[in-house]
Amino acid sequence: KAGVTQTPRYLIKTRGQQVTLSCSPISGHRSVSWYQQTPGQGLQFLFEYFSETQRNKGNFPGRFSGRQFSNSRSEMNVSTLELGDSALYLCASSFSSGGLSTDTQYFGPGTRLTVL
Amino acid sequence: QQQVKQSPQSLIVQKGGISIINCAYENTAFDYFPWYQQFPGKGPALLIAIRPDVSEKKEGRFTISFNKSAKQFSLHIMDSQPGDSATYFCAASDNNDMRFGAGTRLTVKP
């Protein structure tokens, strides 16, 4: 069974631009979560989607948004990029119909975003 | 924001030794406590997880000890191997939120 895939793996953008990251979950998984990983703040939960609906949201500004498609694939968008948005963005998928603590999350390799 | 405190930041252990990483959480609503292992260039991978209705869970060389009253839990790696060298994250979650510790960089010397 293929794992979680994320594209692109690396991305360089400049301040003020916007970016879209993509995540394909493991086949059969309907929950997709996004996380930001930085050396300073560590791993932080961004949001979770289930059945095309945002089910949970972390403490991030509205510049960070996402969506999920009917095939469970998910995209994350960051608008008006800031230098501090440079991070590894991780996507995780699970069967979970009950929420973040219900089922094992499987992480993808991440997208390394650099904002110049 | 930080609701899970993890220590130590880094740990060096000899091959065959025991590695111990500790975490403490604040939110008593958390009901799922996983540990993740992350190698450079890879995403975190679930190592072992526990729920608060048990005090200990063992899987192979990995054991979680959980103290609900103290709101603390720890990971023990027995017979540590050089291949265990990685960064370890504890986490705590409920259905709506997941918080991570800052990570522990483990180095196992041969």
Side-chain angles (χ1 to χ4, degrees):
Chain A
K1 204 180 222 183
V4 177
T5 58
Q6 293 187 245
T7 57
R9 291 293 312 277
Y10 302 91
L11 206 48
I12 299 175
K13 292 285 187 179
T14 56
R15 276 182 300 173
Q17 287 187 311
Q18 75 164 20
V19 67
T20 299
L21 313 181
S22 181
C23 171
S24 293
I26 292 172
S27 177
H29 285 191
R30 295 167 62 193
S31 167
V32 174
S33 300
W34 289 89
Y35 299 85
Q36 181 195 64
Q37 186 173 27
T38 61
Q41 298 298 316
L43 267 163
Q44 293 183 277
F45 169 66
L46 278 156
F47 30 64
E48 182 209 9
Y49 285 85
F50 181 81
S51 290
E52 302 178 64
T53 301
Q54 187 180 87
R55 184 161 64 178
N56 292 298
K57 189 177 189 304
N59 190 25
F60 277 81
R63 299 185 298 108
F64 293 82
S65 63
R67 59 177 175 167
Q68 188 180 33
F69 302 95
S70 58
N71 61 357
S72 293
R73 191 178 69 85
S74 177
E75 288 182 347
M76 190 192 103
N77 185 275
V78 187
S79 62
T80 319
L81 283 165
E82 301 176 0
L83 294 178
D85 296 333
S86 293
L88 180 68
Y89 289 90
L90 292 158
C91 162
S93 76
S94 74
F95 281 113
S96 175
S97 61
L100 291 172
S101 65
T102 306
D103 201 359
T104 301
Q105 292 194 62
Y106 296 87
F107 283 83
T111 293
R112 173 75 62 186
L113 172 65
T114 302
V115 182
L116 302 176
Chain B
Q1 171 87 328
Q2 182 74 5
Q3 290 190 11
V4 180
K5 293 184 179 179
Q6 182 173 345
S7 63
Q9 265 189 315
S10 63
L11 183 60
I12 300 174
V13 173
Q14 290 295 128
K15 179 182 175 182
I18 302 173
S19 303
I20 302 174
I21 305 170
N22 301 297
C23 282
Y25 64 98
E26 298 173 3
N27 187 347
T28 55
F30 289 149
D31 60 357
Y32 179 65
F33 302 88
W35 284 91
Y36 291 92
Q37 179 189 57
Q38 186 176 27
F39 293 104
K42 304 284 187 182
L46 179 69
L47 203 56
I48 186 172
I50 198 168
R51 296 199 181 270
D53 52 342
V54 297
S55 59
E56 186 175 281
K57 183 175 181 180
K58 183 176 181 180
E59 289 184 359
R61 297 185 294 111
F62 303 94
T63 299
I64 298 179
S65 297
F66 186 83
N67 185 329
K68 187 175 180 178
S69 61
K71 294 188 286 185
Q72 295 175 348
F73 58 111
S74 61
L75 175 70
H76 292 62
I77 306 175
M78 311 299 287
D79 187 28
S80 298
Q81 298 297 311
D84 296 331
S85 296
T87 300
Y88 293 80
F89 295 93
C90 63
S93 79
D94 57 21
N95 277 342
N96 305 309
D97 191 15
M98 178 169 275
R99 302 293 175 117
F100 292 85
T104 296
R105 182 170 292 184
L106 171 66
T107 303
V108 182
K109 291 191 174 290

